[in-house]
Amino acid sequence: MTVSWTPHRFTGGILALDTANTVVLRDDPQKTFDRFDDPVEIARFADAASGFRAAELGGRRLQALSPETIAPVVRSIRESTDRLFRGAVSKGAIATGDLAGFLRACADGLSSSRCEIGTAGRPFGDPATPIAFEAALAVSALSLLRDDTVARLRICPNCSWLFVDRSRNSSRLWCDMAVCGNRQKASRHYRRRTAAREVSDV
Ligand SMILES: [Zn+2]
């Protein structure tokens, strides 16, 4: 089934986290699934992310010409990013054991890329040409290691997505208030009503 890459699917706040969140409901082995199961979705995701993440990318577009070929490295960056930073949120610290695998995966993503990145206004290189998605994914994932970013990483209590909390007082609870915040409110309301009914049934 074709995925609609809606704004909600880009609430991670950073390309590498939006990518980590393409595996849905990671904490539920019964319900979890991978939106990149069909590698074509990697190219469609890269297209959508070029727009949603234009600010992070300095306007450079992402390109995934042969999604089938890059699928293994994309998955490996994605999974090692999720493991490392999910652990960082829960433990408040980076595990060096997970860091090694993460760095290897990022190195694989960068190994066939030949461009210059990190100059002022061009964090991902010259926006005149596109950048390979797996290389950009690695650059984005590595940027998460900054300690000021690690301190702002959160896990959504409803859907367990990772996201960066950029709110002024660091109080953002949900990946997306309009989706997860409301679902949680609705289920609380449902539980209250059910409890009330049980009482009145007695
Ligand atoms: Zn959520």
Side-chain angles (χ1 to χ4, degrees), residues 97-180:
D98 292 338
L99 184 57
F102 167 79
L103 292 173
R104 268 195 296 272
C106 289
D108 289 345
L110 291 166
S111 61
S112 50
S113 166
R114 298 283 173 273
C115 64
E116 287 173 349
I117 60 166
T119 53
R122 294 182 169 185
F124 286 71
D126 187 355
T129 57
I131 183 170
F133 173 59
E134 69 279 20
L137 179 57
V139 174
S140 175
L142 289 165
S143 80
L144 289 169
L145 285 170
R146 290 166 28 160
D147 55 2
D148 55 337
T149 307
V150 172
R152 285 186 171 267
L153 294 181
R154 308 276 181 267
I155 296 172
C156 175
N158 186 55
C159 70
S160 59
W161 272 358
L162 283 164
F163 66 92
V164 186
D165 176 7
R166 292 200 179 95
S167 64
R168 198 176 304 177
N169 52 359
S170 298
S171 61
R172 193 172 137 198
L173 184 56
W174 314 104
C175 72
D176 187 342
M177 183 61 209
V179 176
C180 284

Side-chain angles (χ1 to χ4, degrees), residues 15-198:
L15 176 66
L17 296 184
D18 298 327
T19 305
N21 296 340
T22 60
V23 176
V24 179
L25 300 168
R26 283 180 183 269
D27 63 343
D28 187 338
Q30 307 296 318
K31 291 190 191 153
T32 187
F33 64 95
D34 182 352
R35 289 204 165 101
F36 286 172
D37 263 348
D38 178 357
V40 168
E41 292 299 343
I42 295 176
R44 297 186 65 246
F45 172 88
D47 236 24
S50 297
F52 288 118
R53 288 288 154 252
E56 179 189 358
L57 298 166
R60 197 165 187 195
R61 292 198 65 80
L62 303 167
Q63 191 171 54
L65 288 178
S66 49
E68 198 88 44
T69 316
I70 61 165
V73 67
V74 167
R75 288 205 186 95
S76 130
I77 299 172
R78 180 186 69 180
E79 295 312 299
S80 57
T81 299
D82 189 85
R83 192 174 312 120
L84 184 67
F85 294 102
R86 194 170 292 277
V89 178
S90 348
K91 291 175 228 139
I94 296 274
T96 54
D98 292 338
L99 184 57
F102 167 79
L103 292 173
R104 268 195 296 272
C106 289
D108 289 345
L110 291 166
S111 61
S112 50
S113 166
R114 298 283 173 273
C115 64
E116 287 173 349
I117 60 166
T119 53
R122 294 182 169 185
F124 286 71
D126 187 355
T129 57
I131 183 170
F133 173 59
E134 69 279 20
L137 179 57
V139 174
S140 175
L142 289 165
S143 80
L144 289 169
L145 285 170
R146 290 166 28 160
D147 55 2
D148 55 337
T149 307
V150 172
R152 285 186 171 267
L153 294 181
R154 308 276 181 267
I155 296 172
C156 175
N158 186 55
C159 70
S160 59
W161 272 358
L162 283 164
F163 66 92
V164 186
D165 176 7
R166 292 200 179 95
S167 64
R168 198 176 304 177
N169 52 359
S170 298
S171 61
R172 193 172 137 198
L173 184 56
W174 314 104
C175 72
D176 187 342
M177 183 61 209
V179 176
C180 284
N182 279 346
R183 266 183 211 159
Q184 201 72 1
K185 252 194 278 177
S187 79
R188 258 204 313 273
H189 178 68
Y190 173 79
R191 276 199 304 274
R192 261 202 311 273
R193 282 191 46 180
T194 315
R197 205 164 37 231
E198 276 162 8

